[in-house]
Every structure is written in structure tokens, then in C-alpha cells.
Amino acid sequence: MAAKITPPKITPPKISVMRSQLGRVRGAGAARSGVEHWQVERLTALALIPLTLWFLISVISMLGADQPVISQWIAHPLNAALLIALVVLTFHHAQLGMQVVYEDYIHGGRRTASIIATKGAAMLLALIGVLSVLKLYLAAH
Amino acid sequence: MKDFRDASFVAKATDGTLVRRPLSPHLGIYRWPITMLASILNRATGIALAIGSLLLVWWLAAAAAGPIAYATVQEFLISPLGLLLLLGWTAALFYHLYAGIRHLLWDIGIGFAKPSLGPVTWVVLAATALSTVLVWVTAYAKLGG
């Protein structure tokens, strides 16, 4: 009886990283924060639907009103809170959206510069808006 | 090679010479489907609204600064240029709002089928036009012409 020959066991190469080797070496690929960006863009959009409609309806109902009436309206606690939410979420959403536009059409260092400049401008403008609302709110309470 | 991704375009012809793989044709060759217009408009109105949000900040800051600053904003907004900007802002806002709702519905799997894409886009465009007209007719009526 012939000795039983066991064929050598061949283990297939283990592929744990499903990426092109060139891409890995060059450091291309996801920055691992894409989902958060996408998600926050949607969440802010969702919040901005009621906020924007509320703002639009409020402004139309006060058309032609002068400064004392408008500041009194802004200073109301509920309006002040909603306005701050509107300003913060608007600029956060705008900045996220503009980043995607830059990433599609601008390349190299100018892309990074545009994104940083837009994020900085959005933050400053949001701050000006929030401080304006807070000033009127605090002055009236 | 300017971009390392160009490496993936390098191929060998049958005679062994190195060639650059062809790219598929770009935008210029296709006729414009309505969905393409809708997508580009959503981005364009988004950019317009980002710039238009300056108006919101100016309005709030002026209200906080006092009657004189607020009168300046009001004067600008009812000037021909101000009204034109407000009209553009209203239309852009409604378009981005309705197109955005369409996007959010797609994200939860509603209406993301080819037969519904065209009609939904027409609904978005019609709703934008209707809402914009409604807002301006209301404003005109409220200010007494």
C-alpha cells in the first residue's frame, strides 16, 4: 500500500487592505471623515427647512417695519433662539457645501486656501450675526 | 506625468509601444437631461445663497446697531439693485429648499428611480416659480403697491 501523500497546504495571500498599492504609497484615498461631512450637511439641511420657512414668513409679516419694531421682535426669547440657530446652521451648511464645490473644481494649494478662507469667513459672519441677536436680546431683558 | 493617477492611463498597444488610454467623452457631447440642469442649479443656487447670507448678517447687525444703520439697509433693499438681489435670493432659496428636500428624500430611498427623476424635477421647478411669485405678490399687496 502506497504511502498517502498529503498535498502541501497552500494558504492564499491575505489581502486585508482593498486599495491599490500605488494609492497607498502616495497617500491617496479617503481622509476618514467623509461620512461626517456628508451627514452634517444633511442634518443642517433638515434643520434649515423649518427655520428658513419660519424666518421668511416672519420677515414678510413685518415688511416695512422700522428698527424699534424689528429689534423688539429679535429680542423676544423664542425669536432670538431661533435666529441664532438659523445663523449658525446657515453658515455651517454653507461652508460645508462650498467645500465640496472647491474640492470638485479647484486643485492644489489654491483649494486648501479657498476652503480655509471660506471656513474663516463663515465663522466670523456667524459670530457677527449671533452677537447682533444677543445684543438686542440682552438689552431688552 | 503631472498627476500620479496618470499612471493608470498608461497602456501598451499591440505593437508594444506605450500609449495613453482614452478618456470617455465629457459633458460637451451629451444633450442636457433635465436632471443635469437640476443638479447644476442646486449647486449654483447654493453658492448664490452662501453669498446672499451676507444680507442676513447685514440686516441683523444693522438692527442691533440702531435706527440709522437699519434705515440704510432698508433703503438699499428697496432700491432697484436691492430688489433685484432680493428677487434672486427668494428664487434661489426656494429652488435650493425644494431641490434639497428632493435630495433628503433620495437619501432615505424615496423617489430614487429613473422614471420619477424627471417629473420630480419639474415639480421642484414649478414649486419654485409658484412660491417666488406668491412671496412677491404678498409683499407687493402688503406694502400697498
Side-chain angles (χ1 to χ4, degrees):
Chain A
M1 205 162 123
K4 200 179 170 193
I5 302 167
T6 45
K9 202 180 170 195
I10 301 168
T11 47
K14 195 180 169 206
I15 302 172
S16 54
V17 181
M18 301 296 281
R19 292 174 62 187
S20 99
Q21 303 304 301
L22 183 62
R24 283 185 70 193
V25 169
R26 294 285 192 157
R32 294 175 187 278
S33 61
V35 175
E36 196 200 349
H37 184 285
W38 186 90
Q39 227 166 30
V40 175
E41 202 176 18
R42 262 92 197 143
L43 285 174
T44 48
L46 197 61
L48 281 169
I49 296 172
L51 282 172
T52 309
L53 287 175
W54 162 79
F55 178 72
L56 204 61
I57 292 167
S58 307
V59 166
I60 291 169
S61 72
M62 293 186 299
L63 270 183
D66 48 13
Q67 195 263 348
V69 178
I70 295 291
S71 3
Q72 207 180 6
W73 178 80
I74 295 174
H76 187 281
L78 180 67
N79 296 338
L82 290 176
L83 276 173
I84 289 175
L86 175 74
V87 168
V88 170
L89 293 178
T90 294
F91 281 103
H92 197 48
H93 183 83
Q95 165 266 121
L96 289 171
M98 290 305 294
Q99 183 180 344
V100 181
V101 176
Y102 297 146
E103 284 168 354
D104 280 353
Y105 303 120
I106 306 178
H107 305 286
R110 289 203 307 151
R111 171 196 286 181
T112 315
S114 309
I115 293 174
I116 293 173
T118 305
K119 281 182 190 289
M123 200 183 275
L124 270 180
L125 288 165
L127 271 175
I128 296 170
V130 169
L131 284 175
S132 305
V133 175
L134 276 181
K135 186 195 168 192
L136 290 169
Y137 172 76
L138 292 172
H141 289 84
Chain B
M1 276 192 289
K2 271 191 170 174
D3 192 308
F4 73 87
R5 280 169 296 192
D6 287 346
S8 56
F9 281 99
V10 177
K12 263 185 192 166
T14 43
D15 61 358
T17 52
L18 288 175
V19 290
R20 194 173 198 280
R21 289 183 198 275
L23 268 177
S24 56
H26 203 42
L27 288 179
I29 204 163
Y30 301 109
R31 91 187 147 80
W32 274 49
I34 187 73
T35 42
M36 190 159 116
L37 176 77
S39 174
I40 291 169
L41 264 182
N42 194 41
R43 192 161 260 200
T45 51
I47 297 168
L49 288 169
I51 300 165
S53 59
L54 284 169
L55 208 61
L56 171 67
V57 172
W58 187 27
W59 183 75
L60 286 170
I68 299 165
Y70 193 78
T72 312
V73 178
Q74 263 185 328
E75 207 176 307
F76 171 74
L77 289 180
I78 56 165
S79 72
L81 177 66
L83 285 173
L84 189 70
L85 284 174
L86 275 180
L87 179 65
W89 186 79
T90 325
L93 184 76
F94 279 123
Y95 183 82
H96 203 74
L97 174 73
Y98 296 134
I101 292 173
R102 182 191 62 145
H103 264 284
L104 289 172
L105 290 176
W106 285 349
D107 290 341
I108 55 172
I110 298 172
F112 203 55
K114 210 184 166 195
S116 62
L117 290 179
V120 165
T121 304
W122 284 111
V123 169
V124 166
L125 288 170
T128 303
L130 268 177
S131 308
T132 309
V133 170
L134 184 73
V135 161
W136 283 81
V137 167
T138 312
Y140 190 77
K142 199 166 159 49
L143 289 179

